[in-house]
Amino acid sequence: MERFEYKTIVMIIFILSLFMQIVDSTVVNVAVPTLADEFGVDGTDVDLAIISYLVSLAILLSTSGWLGDRFGSKRVFLAALFGFTATSALAGTAQSLEQLVGWRVLQGGSAGIMAPLGSAMLFRAFPQNERAKAATAVIGVAVIAPAVGPIVGGALIEYLNWRWIFFVNVPIGLLGLGLGIALLREQREDDPGRFDVVGFLLSGVGLAFVLFAIDRVKDVGIGDLSVVLPFLVGVALLVVLVVHQLRVDSPLLKLRLLSGGIFRATNIVALPVYMGFMSLIFLLPLYLQSIRGFSALETGFAIFPQALGIMISSQVAGRSLYQRIGPRKLLGVGNLGGLGVGLAFAFVIDLDTKLFTIQALSFGRGLFMGLMMIALQTATYAQTTLADTARATTLYSMQRQLGPAIGISVVATVLANLNDGLASDAFDDRLGGFRIAMIISALFFLAGALLTPLIHDEDAAATFV
């Protein structure tokens, strides 16, 4: 009974931190026009508050596994949670864009440590054959949070003011801190090795450059020097990182975990899955707001059925389907379903598409995504030892940052190039660009389906009940 209670405690604390982090990232996007008016700057300038968070997160992401192993997972996780909570409060008091960007840098760094380390604590607390149930709860939060983010952000901005999009994190963070200080157990590894300074610089700066370049694509196009130069520098640094990590005795990132087995296979399959998932989440609000004239709040309600679909299917998959048919079939069905629904979106949208149709397709998409999320979250660490869990969650988190960023960048570039030069009110012509971008978004799932045979159910046998 005591063991069960501790597992539940870890899950609750992790869910609180995850919900806070995801909602924060989505409500800031909704607030861009409001922040531009508040500080007297262009909307593109406000993007610095988003990019700075992303870059800071990328730089510190690689350190989370080593820090947890060296100083203790409880201590480091709670320090990061405190940092995220405190900088959220300070961001809400910002009097200028420069102040806001500064606090967002510290906030992103805290998130970079908190997210993968929280995942490691969760999966260490649950035995292999119960991780599907743990993943079910986490996935529910992971999809509800971005769905309610625009709704919460729109309501806070409309009925209170923009500062509350940051202040809302404070009570959630304080609750998580109180529970964590009182109830979490400390865990560290006896020999985490020396801190790999060279690996930290190469991974942090390289990933930051790549993510910065990808984020810039949607604003300036893929051929702009401000995209090409940082992207090439980032890729070069990451190539050097791989060589370095495979040669040193105590690497910061245990890339050898990707040398084979279920961990490598799920990371490969997950990349196009999350590219497809997030790229359509990027496109749908643009279509609803720029073509259909929906408000941010209305857009949130239009897409919300996707979260309900994920919750329903993840519950079914986590409680029975995963153990009965295994991760490979769930990923195969999910990818093909994602492909079909994505193509349906592309061919259905027009100037008069019924709201119910959009909601129904969103719900169906959610059903297929829930199957894949359970399969990925549960099977990924099936062959990972407890000692390697923190390093494995760090690698998986890095992939989770790159996949959505690449997917959004690709469809944003396609949309921008196709609609470049069109009048802002040329809605019929602009629809064509959205349709093609949505087709590309759907094709990411085709890639996922083709890669799914890399998954072997027997490699995930430890996660079956």
Side-chain angles (χ1 to χ4, degrees):
M1 180 64 181
E2 181 182 354
R3 184 184 178 100
F4 173 79
E5 291 177 346
Y6 183 69
K7 290 183 296 185
T8 304
I9 289 165
V10 175
M11 181 187 295
I12 290 171
I13 295 171
F14 176 65
I15 283 174
L16 287 172
S17 68
L18 182 65
F19 182 83
M20 180 173 61
Q21 182 184 342
I22 296 175
V23 168
D24 179 85
S25 64
T26 55
V27 297
V28 173
N29 290 329
V30 172
V32 167
T34 303
L35 293 173
D37 292 338
E38 173 73 16
F39 298 129
V41 298
D42 293 334
T44 53
D45 294 330
V46 179
D47 276 349
L48 285 172
I50 298 172
I51 296 173
S52 61
Y53 176 95
L54 184 69
V55 170
S56 177
L57 184 151
I59 290 174
L60 288 180
L61 187 63
S62 63
T63 68
S64 60
W66 185 87
L67 288 173
D69 288 347
R70 172 65 178 83
F71 298 104
S73 55
K74 173 181 176 178
R75 182 182 301 174
V76 177
F77 175 80
L78 292 180
L81 179 56
F82 173 78
F84 191 91
T85 305
T87 50
S88 294
L90 291 167
T93 66
Q95 300 299 311
S96 67
L97 179 60
E98 291 76 16
Q99 288 184 17
L100 180 61
V101 169
W103 296 128
R104 289 285 286 172
V105 168
L106 297 177
Q107 196 180 30
S110 298
I113 296 172
M114 182 170 64
L117 195 53
S119 295
M121 291 170 59
L122 179 73
F123 286 112
R124 279 171 169 165
F126 278 82
Q128 293 273 25
N129 63 352
E130 294 183 21
R131 289 183 179 178
K133 297 177 182 177
T136 299
V138 172
I139 286 169
V141 176
V143 297
I144 284 293
V148 303
I151 298 173
V152 171
L156 290 173
I157 293 169
E158 184 172 346
Y159 297 112
L160 294 173
N161 62 59
W162 67 268
R163 298 185 186 278
W164 281 94
I165 67 174
F166 298 108
F167 291 154
V168 74
N169 289 330
V170 175
I172 303 174
L174 291 177
L175 176 59
L177 281 168
L179 292 173
I181 292 171
L183 301 173
L184 282 180
R185 300 170 187 167
E186 190 59 277
Q187 184 170 5
R188 69 180 72 189
E189 294 302 318
D190 295 331
D191 184 21
R194 298 172 58 185
F195 184 73
D196 180 11
V197 177
V198 175
F200 165 65
L201 294 174
L202 289 171
S203 63
V205 178
L207 187 59
F209 268 108
V210 170
L211 290 175
F212 172 81
I214 290 172
D215 186 79
R216 287 283 293 164
V217 167
K218 66 179 185 293
D219 298 318
V220 299
I222 199 168
D224 192 89
L225 188 62
S226 66
V227 170
V228 175
L229 186 59
F231 182 79
L232 292 177
V233 171
V235 169
L237 291 174
L238 292 178
V239 170
V240 176
L241 169 69
V242 172
V243 175
H244 170 73
Q245 294 293 278
L246 294 177
R247 290 182 175 179
V248 296
D249 294 330
S250 299
L252 184 66
L253 299 171
K254 288 192 175 180
L255 297 182
R256 291 185 178 89
L257 292 172
L258 295 168
S259 61
I262 194 75
F263 185 72
R264 180 177 67 178
T266 52
N267 272 274
I268 291 172
V269 176
L271 188 66
V273 167
Y274 286 109
M275 287 169 65
F277 179 53
M278 293 305 298
S279 57
L280 188 60
I281 288 179
F282 169 79
L283 289 170
L284 270 179
L286 280 180
Y287 157 73
L288 291 170
Q289 294 180 49
S290 65
I291 301 293
R292 301 296 300 277
F294 283 37
S295 68
L297 195 59
E298 292 170 331
T299 299
F301 282 115
I303 302 175
F304 188 75
Q306 176 175 261
L308 295 179
I310 294 177
M311 287 188 65
I312 292 171
S313 64
S314 63
Q315 288 289 327
V316 174
R319 295 178 184 276
S320 61
L321 285 181
Y322 179 86
Q323 289 80 10
R324 291 182 180 180
I325 66 175
R328 182 170 177 169
K329 290 185 177 66
L330 288 178
L331 286 165
V333 172
N335 272 300
L336 292 176
L339 170 65
V341 175
L343 292 175
F345 264 115
F347 292 110
V348 161
I349 62 163
D350 56 32
L351 300 180
D352 303 305
T353 305
K354 299 294 184 183
L355 178 60
F356 174 78
T357 302
I358 295 171
Q359 291 174 323
L361 288 174
S362 294
F363 179 76
R365 187 173 192 262
L367 292 176
F368 291 115
M369 284 305 308
L371 300 179
M372 292 188 285
M373 288 178 171
I374 284 293
L376 291 170
Q377 289 284 350
T378 306
T380 294
Y381 307 108
Q383 296 177 328
T384 303
T385 65
L386 289 179
D388 285 334
T389 300
R391 305 299 180 95
T393 56
T394 297
L395 289 171
Y396 191 74
S397 295
M398 294 178 74
Q399 175 266 123
R400 284 287 306 271
Q401 289 293 320
L402 281 172
I406 294 171
I408 291 172
S409 174
V410 169
V411 297
T413 301
V414 170
L415 187 64
N417 288 336
L418 291 174
N419 289 345
D420 186 35
L422 296 177
S424 60
D425 59 349
F427 296 134
D428 284 319
D429 294 331
R430 292 172 66 197
L431 270 172
F434 275 99
R435 289 192 179 107
I436 293 175
M438 287 181 178
I439 290 173
I440 292 173
S441 173
L443 290 177
F444 291 139
F445 290 111
L446 177 59
L450 294 174
L451 291 169
T452 294
L454 294 174
I455 305 287
H456 299 290
D457 289 339
E458 57 269 23
D459 290 340
T463 61
F464 298 153
V465 175

